[in-house]
Amino acid sequence: DARTVKDAASTKEVDYQKVYNAIAETLEDEKYDDGSYGPVLVRLAWHCSGTYDKDSGNGGSNGATMRFAPEANHGANAGLEHARNHLEKIKKQFPEITYSDLWTLAGVCAIQEAGGPYIPWRAGRKDGDVENCTPDGRLPDGDKGADHIRNIFYRMGMNDNEIVALSGAHALGRCHVDRSGFDGPWQYSPTTFSNEYFRLLYDDKWQERKWKGPPQYENKSDKSLMMLRTDMALTTDKEFRKYSQKYAKDEQAFFSDFSKAFSKLIHLGVPTTQLSEEVPLKKLEDQAPA
Ligand code: CCH
């Protein structure tokens, strides 16, 4: 059974679909944020992977080095303790899964359960040591422009099309003043994965918000939504614009490209010799009732 993969390090078998289901069943929590841990779990999967540097080969999801103080305290990772602490309960239930597999699998689960596309995922990441922590500054800043985004994502080995597709994850979740300094959600239903983020970029009008916080945009129609400067760059940069316009019109194209790009992201830097075959993780609703 492809769902049960032998972990070379522990030689213990892990039923990843069971882990997936356990995460899926604990996503909703009316007391947390917009009612779901999904968005912050997607951000954890992205921040543990997006540290990859293609030239040195270090960083990336292999290692789960955000468990350690230097990386956990990087400014970009503020608030991700909510995601890591939430997943501690799952780790206790399935101690044989590595943190690095668990964090990436949780991102896949959160996207699929929010109505997003199927994401190909492989097991086999190993947890590293504190010495493997990446230097600060490898993740993007929201108050910068197209050049900055390109520098950060090209370092991972991503191209312009992949940058725009991945940015569509901002359909999910929100900015929190006490985490990033920015404030507000990108769309009206921040626990549903869709191309709404791209549609709003074009269908609403955006103006700079006048406030004491860092520079961000608000929608003219009701001022309840936000965009970062980096989000706006997807419409002003000529090359990025091609893709963001396409995704605003064609959700299927977005889903298909996002699936490939996110899957690439969460496997960056993991030696293929370490990885299992693809583990076909099914949504809760697509599984036969027990
Ligand atoms: Fe993001 N993101 N992100 N983002 N992000 C934030 C929140 C989320 C940038 C900045 C921010 C990606 C790319 C970028 C999510 C997924 C992805 C926040 C608010 C900032 C700031 C954090 C807070 O205050 O809680 C920038 C800049 C870029 C690129 O230039 C990519 C790529 C992904 C995934 C594929 C998700 C999801 C959230 C919501 C988290 C939550 O807790 O609601």
Side-chain angles (χ1 to χ4, degrees):
D1 185 340
R3 284 175 304 168
T4 317
V5 180
K6 257 210 170 101
D7 174 50
S10 66
T11 70
K12 282 214 186 92
E13 302 224 328
V14 186
D15 186 334
Y16 294 106
Q17 185 69 61
K18 272 201 180 145
V19 181
Y20 178 104
N21 292 359
I23 300 166
E25 276 152 15
T26 54
L27 287 176
E28 275 183 42
D29 182 342
E30 59 180 25
K31 288 194 287 294
Y32 178 74
D33 222 16
D34 296 304
S36 171
Y37 276 93
V40 79
L41 293 179
V42 174
R43 183 168 164 245
L44 175 65
W46 138 239
H47 279 208
C48 76
S49 307
T51 53
Y52 181 62
D53 173 54
K54 69 172 165 34
D55 293 333
S56 61
N58 63 33
S61 62
N62 209 22
T65 44
M66 206 199 295
R67 286 169 297 143
F68 305 114
E71 203 171 324
N73 294 338
H74 290 171
N77 291 333
L80 288 176
E81 67 277 6
H82 292 278
R84 295 193 304 271
N85 294 342
H86 185 71
L87 291 176
E88 259 326 298
K89 289 164 229 153
I90 309 290
K91 174 73 177 164
K92 288 214 170 69
Q93 253 177 288
F94 302 93
E96 58 286 359
I97 193 172
T98 60
Y99 280 98
S100 37
D101 275 344
L102 176 63
W103 291 356
T104 51
L105 191 160
V108 170
C109 174
I111 290 163
Q112 294 188 173
E113 295 299 315
Y118 170 79
I119 312 280
W121 180 85
R122 293 164 190 265
R125 293 164 196 74
K126 291 176 187 161
D127 292 337
D129 299 317
V130 65
E131 298 87 68
N132 306 115
C133 281
T134 48
D136 200 357
R138 286 199 174 177
L139 293 161
D141 299 325
D143 61 355
K144 301 213 168 79
D147 286 354
H148 170 72
I149 315 176
R150 284 202 172 89
N151 287 337
I152 296 278
F153 282 88
Y154 286 5
R155 190 211 63 232
M156 294 172 220
M158 295 289 182
N159 63 30
D160 288 355
N161 191 352
E162 289 164 330
I163 292 172
V164 179
L166 286 170
S167 304
H170 283 168
L172 294 177
R174 61 167 60 241
C175 294
H176 305 77
V177 176
D178 59 333
R179 300 182 192 176
S180 61
F182 298 103
D183 178 37
W186 289 267
Q187 62 128 329
Y188 295 101
S189 44
T191 61
T192 305
F193 195 92
S194 70
N195 70 336
E196 195 58 18
Y197 162 82
F198 295 110
R199 294 208 296 160
L200 284 160
L201 269 173
Y202 290 101
D203 290 355
D204 215 323
K205 292 214 163 45
W206 298 88
Q207 62 193 18
E208 278 208 53
R209 174 169 165 181
K210 291 193 178 63
W211 74 317
K212 292 215 169 74
Q216 65 173 67
Y217 292 79
E218 65 188 3
N219 63 326
K220 268 194 181 158
S221 61
D222 71 4
K223 301 187 174 165
S224 70
L225 303 176
M226 70 92 60
M227 291 285 169
L228 300 164
R229 279 186 176 164
T230 43
D231 297 310
M232 296 307 295
L234 306 184
T235 68
T236 52
D237 180 87
K238 217 170 122 234
E239 196 60 22
F240 287 157
R241 187 178 175 85
K242 284 201 308 210
Y243 303 110
S244 59
Q245 267 180 334
K246 175 162 97 179
Y247 297 149
K249 293 194 192 99
D250 185 348
E251 185 168 75
Q252 276 319 305
F254 165 53
F255 272 31
S256 165
D257 290 356
F258 180 85
S259 168
K260 288 185 213 120
F262 193 79
S263 184
K264 172 174 167 178
L265 175 71
I266 58 179
H267 295 89
L268 288 175
V270 192
T272 42
T273 48
Q274 228 176 276
L275 287 169
S276 74
E277 293 296 300
E278 183 174 323
V279 183
L281 297 164
K282 285 192 184 155
K283 283 197 213 184
L284 282 185
E285 67 179 35
D286 294 342
Q287 294 169 47

